[in-house]
Amino acid sequence: MGKQVLLEVENLKKHFFLEKGEVLKAVDGISIQIFKGETFGLVGESGCGKSTAGRTIIGLYDRTDGSVSYDGDDVHGMNEKETFAFYRKMQMIFQDPYASLNPRSTVKEIILEPMEVHNLHSGKRARLERVYQLLEDVGLNREHANRYPHEFSGGQRQRIGIARALALDPEFIIADEPISALDVSVQAQVVNLLKRLQKEKMLTYLFIAHDLSMVKQISDRIAVMYLGHIVELSNSWELYKKPLHPYTQALLSAIPIPDPDVEDRRERIILKGELPSPITPPSGCVFRTRCPFEMDICATEKPVWQEVEEKHYAACHLYNSEQPGDKAKPQLAGWR
Amino acid sequence: MGKILEVQNLHVSFKTFGGNVQAVRGVSVDLYKGETLAIVGESGCGKSVTFQSVMRLIPEPPGSIDSGSIFYKNKDLSKLSDKQMRKIRGKDISMIFQDPMTALNPTLTVGDQITEGLIEHNSMSKRAACKLAVNMLELVGIPDPDTRLNQYPHQFSGGMRQRIVIAMALVCQPEILIADEPTTALDVTIQAQILELFKEVQEKTGVSIILITHDLGVVAQAADRIAVMYAGKIVETGGRRDIFYSPQHPYTKGLLHSVPRLDLDDQELVPIHGTPPDLFSPPLGCPFAARCNEAMEVCTKIYPYRTQLSDGHHVECWLQDERAKQLQSGRV
C-alpha cells in the first residue's frame, strides 16, 4: 500500500521585510511531504526558522513564495470560509503552556471555545460531555473542568493545550516545541500521551523541536533545518546511524548521552563559530562558514537537494557525484 | 583530596503570602578540591536556592537560612556579615547564571565588568587589570580580545556572552565556581563548546566546579560526582558511575528511565507519574512516596535515614532498610 501524502510543502519561503530595505529570510525554500498517519520531526537550533516554517504551513503567517497543499487544497489560496473549515482539520500546540492559555477562562471555557466557534456538538450537554471526554483522553479528569490555568502545573497545562487542539477532532497537529518548557520526567509523560493519542485518533503530527533525542523518540522521519534551509531528511534511526550532512553530524555529536561510558568514548565535533545572521546569509551553502569540510564550490554554488541513499536526502556538495572530492566523503571515525 | 566546601543540614525557607515555602529541607553535601560536582533535579527542587544560599545571594527577607552551616576554610558562611561575604564572593567563590543576557550590565563595557573584581578584591590598577582581562578573554576563547574588551554586551552573541560571564567569574582565580544551568539557554552546538571550555579551565586552574543542571546528558559528560535533589532534599549522592549504573533511589531510577537516549532505537520512555509535592506543606515522610511504585506504609510517615552503600554512595530511602529487604525476600 502506497503512503498517502497529506501535506505537501513546496519551495516555501517566508521573508520578513525589515527597516532600511533589509530582508530576513527566515524560511528560504523548504520542500517536504508528510504522509498520513506519520510523525514528521523538524529539528534545528534557535533561529533556524523551524517555528516560522510551522506557522507559515498552518497559515498563521502569509507565505512569501512557494506553496502548501493539504490533502490537495492550497492552504494559502483559500478564502475565509475555506480557511475556517481548514482549521478543523489542522490544529496547533504551542510551546509555552503558561502563555497559550487564557488565565481568565476556566479549563471548560478554554476547551469549549473552539467547539462553539465551529458550532460542533450542538447542545450544551453534548459539548460538556465532549469536554469531559477530552480531559480524560489527555489524562486529566472532569473535576478539573472548572479550574483556572494557574491551578495547574506545566505538564498539566500542556495537557489542556492538547485537549483544546483535539476539540475539533483534527487530522493533523503541528506541535511547536510542545515539551521544551517541561521537566524531564514530565516530558516523557507528554510524549507518551501524544503517541497514544496518535494511535487512538489516527493523527498526523508535525513535531517541531530543538531536542533531537526527544524528536527521534517520537518521529518516523526527521528533517534538519539550518538557517532557513532543510539540509537533510531521512527516517529517524537512519539519520542517527548515518548522518550525511556535516551539520547533522556535528549536531548529533554535540548532544550529550546520559551514559558516562558512552560519553567517555565519544569524539565530538565542536563546531567553530556561531549561526550567521539570516539577514546576510553566506553565499552558496549556508553552512559553509562553520563546516569542517568546506570546499571552493561551497561559496559559489548552492548545493542541490539529492537522494544520496534510498529515501535519505541531503543538500551538500560532498555528495555531488561528479565531484573530485567524492573520495573524500566525510568519515568521522568513531564520532559516536 | 580534601574537602573545600561543607554544607551541613541546611534549611532555607521563604515567606510568601501563601505561607512559608520550605525550599531547602536539610541538605548536606561536600565539595572536594578540583572535582566537578553535579547537582541534578527538576524545577523547584531547591537546587538553585541551596547554592544561592551558599553565596548568600538569597534576599533576606523574604528568604532566610533557618538552620545548618556552610563551611568554607573554617568559616561558617551562613553566619558572616554582608561585608565579610563581599570579600569572598567573586574572589574565593564565584557564580555564573543561566541567562548570560541578564547577568551582564548592558551599560558597561565587558572590560569594565571583568576588571571590576580585580580592582575591588586585589586592589589592582586599571591598567594591570585590563591586561589580565585580555588574558582571561583569550582563555575563554574570544577572538581579538583587545578590541572586544571595549565593547558592550549587546555586541556579543549568546554563546560569547556566556564566555564573558565565565571570564568574569574566573578572573580572580576563585577556588570554587558555582555554575547554575550554565548551558540551558544555549543551543547544543554552543553547549558543547562551553562544556569543553569548563574542562579546559579546570585543567589549567584546578578550580572546583558545582554544576547545577536538570540535563542528565550534561551530567554524564561533565561530572565526577552527582547529587540528586528532590523536594528540597538530596535523595542520593554518588560517583558518576554509581548514579548512572547502580542508582538506588526510585526517583533517580525514574529520572534515568524518562530521558530519551539518542543512541537507542525503539526505547520506551517510562515517565514518573504525578508531580512533585507542594513545599508549603511538605509531606511528613519521603516526599517521593506519592509518585513511587515501591512505596511502603512507612514511607508516607517517616523520612528515611541516610544509608551508605559504598564509599561516597549514599541514598535516603526506606528500601535500604534491613526490614524492607526482609519483607521483599519474604514475598518471594
Side-chain angles (χ1 to χ4, degrees):
Chain A
M1 195 186 88
K3 287 181 210 156
Q4 185 199 341
V5 176
L6 191 57
L7 182 84
E8 175 136 27
V9 176
E10 247 187 68
N11 195 29
L12 187 68
K13 289 183 185 176
K14 177 65 199 172
H15 296 176
F16 293 97
F17 299 92
L18 313 175
E19 290 167 32
K20 295 183 234 151
E22 286 180 331
V23 182
L24 191 154
K25 298 175 177 172
V27 176
D28 202 20
I30 63 166
S31 302
I32 47 178
Q33 288 185 328
I34 299 178
F35 301 117
K36 198 174 165 70
E38 79 168 336
T39 300
F40 189 92
L42 188 57
V43 295
E45 298 182 280
S46 38
C48 73
K50 57 189 188 300
S51 289
T52 305
R55 288 166 174 235
T56 312
I57 287 171
I58 199 172
L60 286 177
Y61 292 146
D62 285 330
R63 68 182 159 182
T64 305
D65 196 11
S67 71
V68 178
S69 86
Y70 182 84
D71 215 359
D73 301 328
D74 178 9
V75 174
H76 288 265
M78 291 175 180
N79 62 31
E80 218 171 299
K81 212 171 139 195
E82 287 164 334
T83 307
F84 189 73
F86 167 65
Y87 285 141
R88 278 195 56 187
K89 296 185 205 154
M90 194 187 276
Q91 280 289 310
M92 194 152 177
I93 301 168
F94 298 93
Q95 169 170 2
D96 188 347
Y98 297 82
S100 58
L101 301 176
N102 185 346
R104 301 180 65 165
S105 300
T106 61
V107 169
K108 187 174 75 185
E109 288 163 353
I110 289 169
I111 303 175
L112 271 178
E113 193 177 2
M115 293 186 226
E116 284 164 354
V117 169
H118 286 266
N119 206 8
L120 293 183
H121 309 283
S122 55
K124 228 176 168 178
R125 280 276 291 281
R127 276 183 194 157
L128 211 54
E129 269 314 307
R130 175 83 183 133
V131 170
Y132 293 148
Q133 180 59 45
L134 285 164
L135 284 174
E136 275 160 27
D137 283 351
V138 298
L140 298 169
N141 53 50
R142 54 173 68 202
E143 284 78 51
H144 290 130
N146 289 317
R147 296 197 198 161
Y148 289 89
H150 75 265
E151 297 175 70
F152 294 89
S153 67
Q156 287 173 319
R157 276 181 228 206
Q158 201 54 291
R159 287 170 194 268
I160 298 167
I162 295 170
R164 174 178 60 185
L166 292 174
L168 298 178
D169 244 327
E171 303 163 344
F172 194 106
I173 288 181
I174 297 182
D176 187 4
E177 301 264 16
I179 52 167
S180 40
L182 308 176
D183 270 320
V184 270
S185 71
V186 181
Q187 286 191 348
Q189 290 176 4
V190 174
V191 163
N192 284 358
L193 169 69
L194 287 171
K195 277 184 172 174
R196 198 194 80 219
L197 290 170
Q198 180 170 44
K199 250 186 228 157
E200 287 171 7
K201 300 179 188 289
M202 307 275 291
L203 295 166
T204 307
Y205 289 140
L206 171 58
F207 193 93
I208 302 170
H210 68 278
D211 178 354
L212 194 47
S213 28
M214 202 47 110
V215 174
K216 190 181 127 276
Q217 248 294 309
I218 192 172
S219 304
D220 300 302
R221 291 187 303 144
I222 296 176
V224 181
M225 261 187 101
Y226 185 84
L227 214 64
H229 297 262
I230 290 180
V231 296
E232 184 161 357
L233 175 114
S234 103
N235 83 50
S236 53
W237 181 238
E238 168 96 6
L239 187 82
Y240 166 74
K241 282 302 263 190
K242 211 174 175 189
L244 296 171
H245 198 283
Y247 175 63
T248 315
Q249 292 169 350
L251 189 65
L252 286 166
S253 96
I255 296 167
I257 291 174
D259 185 329
D261 284 352
V262 174
E263 277 302 314
D264 287 350
R265 280 198 306 270
R266 275 175 103 192
E267 263 176 59
R268 267 176 220 292
I269 311 164
I270 306 270
L271 282 183
K272 53 187 175 183
E274 301 181 29
L275 199 71
S277 161
I279 299 169
T280 50
S283 62
C285 171
V286 285
F287 183 59
R288 71 176 164 84
T289 53
R290 300 173 77 192
C291 182
F293 306 103
E294 193 193 352
M295 302 175 291
D296 292 339
I297 187 175
C298 302
T300 53
E301 272 177 55
K302 272 198 188 307
V304 287
W305 184 242
Q306 49 188 334
E307 188 166 8
V308 180
E309 315 228 332
E310 202 195 341
K311 292 186 179 159
H312 191 157
Y313 302 82
C316 176
H317 288 301
L318 288 167
Y319 302 99
N320 294 358
S321 45
E322 73 281 11
Q323 195 56 37
D326 194 28
K327 289 171 205 87
K329 275 185 186 171
Q331 261 311 318
L332 293 145
W335 66 271
R336 228 170 258 125
Chain B
M1 266 184 287
K3 284 179 196 172
I4 184 163
L5 182 78
E6 266 184 277
V7 178
Q8 288 169 357
N9 202 21
L10 187 71
H11 284 79
V12 184
S13 66
F14 292 87
K15 273 200 181 65
T16 69
F17 287 116
N20 252 358
V21 185
Q22 298 169 37
V24 178
R25 306 188 297 136
V27 161
S28 302
V29 67
D30 301 329
L31 178 69
Y32 295 90
K33 227 178 153 39
E35 74 167 349
T36 299
L37 170 70
I39 311 292
V40 192
E42 298 181 88
S43 29
C45 73
K47 55 191 193 302
S48 294
V49 172
T50 302
F51 290 95
Q52 279 169 14
S53 308
V54 168
M55 286 293 268
R56 297 288 301 282
L57 284 175
I58 55 165
E60 304 176 48
S64 80
I65 298 178
D66 299 326
S67 62
S69 49
I70 302 157
F71 282 107
Y72 170 73
K73 284 191 177 162
N74 301 320
K75 274 180 287 205
D76 184 353
L77 301 186
S78 69
K79 307 272 185 312
L80 295 189
S81 69
D82 199 41
K83 208 172 158 195
Q84 290 168 309
M85 202 56 217
R86 276 187 146 223
K87 292 197 176 130
I88 290 174
R89 261 187 232 131
K91 184 165 193 291
D92 297 310
I93 310 178
S94 282
M95 189 156 184
I96 59 180
F97 301 91
Q98 173 172 348
D99 188 354
M101 185 72 146
T102 49
L104 292 167
N105 185 335
T107 65
L108 294 176
T109 65
V110 302
D112 287 339
Q113 300 185 56
I114 296 172
T115 52
E116 193 185 352
L118 288 170
I119 294 165
E120 162 85 24
H121 291 300
N122 302 5
S123 7
M124 234 179 221
S125 71
K126 178 117 202 203
R127 210 153 161 199
C130 278
K131 226 172 150 188
L132 246 171
V134 168
N135 290 344
M136 246 6 256
L137 286 181
E138 223 156 49
L139 177 76
V140 298
I142 291 184
D144 196 10
D146 289 297
T147 326
R148 297 297 250 173
L149 204 61
N150 297 314
Q151 293 184 333
Y152 291 87
H154 75 265
Q155 291 167 293
F156 293 80
S157 67
M160 284 292 167
R161 279 191 208 128
Q162 197 60 297
R163 285 171 193 265
I164 289 163
V165 173
I166 294 170
M168 255 168 87
L170 292 175
V171 73
C172 292
Q173 299 186 319
E175 289 191 286
I176 302 172
L177 176 67
I178 301 173
D180 190 355
E181 303 267 11
T183 58
T184 308
L186 307 175
D187 277 319
V188 273
T189 54
I190 308 299
Q191 166 173 289
Q193 294 174 354
I194 297 290
L195 291 176
E196 195 68 23
L197 174 64
F198 273 131
K199 218 176 269 176
E200 273 174 44
V201 164
Q202 194 169 41
E203 270 164 28
K204 280 183 197 154
T205 64
V207 65
S208 310
I209 299 177
I210 292 172
L211 182 67
I212 302 172
T213 178
H214 67 278
D215 187 332
L216 287 166
V218 169
V219 173
Q221 188 189 334
D224 300 309
R225 282 193 318 125
I226 299 163
V228 182
M229 271 192 87
Y230 187 77
K233 289 181 177 282
I234 290 185
V235 295
E236 187 165 2
T237 326
R240 188 162 80 127
R241 302 190 57 92
D242 295 331
I243 298 292
F244 279 96
Y245 299 128
S246 53
Q248 291 303 316
H249 199 284
Y251 176 63
T252 315
K253 290 183 200 170
L255 216 50
L256 288 168
H257 285 303
S258 58
V259 269
R261 284 181 55 159
L262 195 60
D263 58 339
L264 298 182
D265 197 12
D266 276 334
Q267 174 197 10
E268 201 185 328
L269 293 185
V270 188
I272 306 173
H273 62 85
T275 44
D278 188 354
L279 292 180
F280 282 111
S281 51
L284 215 54
C286 170
F288 190 62
R291 304 174 76 186
C292 181
N293 291 329
E294 299 172 79
M296 301 169 291
E297 215 182 314
V298 61
C299 302
T300 58
K301 294 189 176 132
I302 306 164
Y303 188 77
Y305 53 88
R306 181 177 274 209
T307 311
Q308 176 157 5
L309 300 159
S310 61
D311 193 27
H313 190 184
H314 303 273
V315 64
E316 297 182 0
C317 177
W318 278 115
L319 291 170
Q320 301 302 325
D321 190 272
E322 275 312 312
R323 285 163 288 182
K325 285 180 181 161
Q326 277 168 18
L327 195 73
Q328 277 178 332
S329 57
R331 255 188 231 147
V332 179

